[in-house]
Amino acid sequence: PDPPTSPGYNTGPPGADTTKPEHAPATTNAGTNSNQPGQAITRDCRTRIAELEREVRELRRANQILKSAASFFAAELDRPSR
């Protein structure tokens, strides 16, 4: 298959005429993806990125709590019993 940057690359369904408006790429917000210069990010992508970043923060927080709890209980096990 043609790479996405080649002139003959088809972004629509197989056999679709991508020059028609219904097969045009999604509208974009202002701004570009710094990892891929010149490639705009759609609003849907920005929303999804924000959701994933929020989820990452929550998971990191939960991971830190679990590490603290594991450390606490490990210290309990290391103490001599009465």
Side-chain angles (χ1 to χ4, degrees):
D2 294 332
T5 56
S6 70
Y9 187 72
N10 184 348
T11 59
D17 180 3
T18 56
T19 59
K20 293 182 181 177
E22 65 267 15
H23 296 296
T27 57
T28 59
N29 261 351
T32 59
N33 183 346
S34 60
N35 294 331
Q36 298 175 355
Q39 201 167 32
I41 300 174
T42 64
R43 269 177 257 146
D44 290 342
C45 286
R46 286 185 187 279
T47 301
R48 182 68 177 136
I49 290 169
E51 289 170 359
L52 291 171
E53 288 173 342
R54 190 170 23 258
E55 184 177 353
V56 166
R57 281 192 303 273
E58 291 171 7
L59 291 171
R60 285 185 176 154
R61 174 82 173 122
N63 197 27
Q64 188 59 44
I65 291 168
L66 290 171
K67 284 181 183 179
S68 296
S71 177
F72 173 80
F73 287 113
E76 286 287 318
L77 292 174
D78 287 341
R79 290 188 188 146
S81 60
R82 296 187 217 188

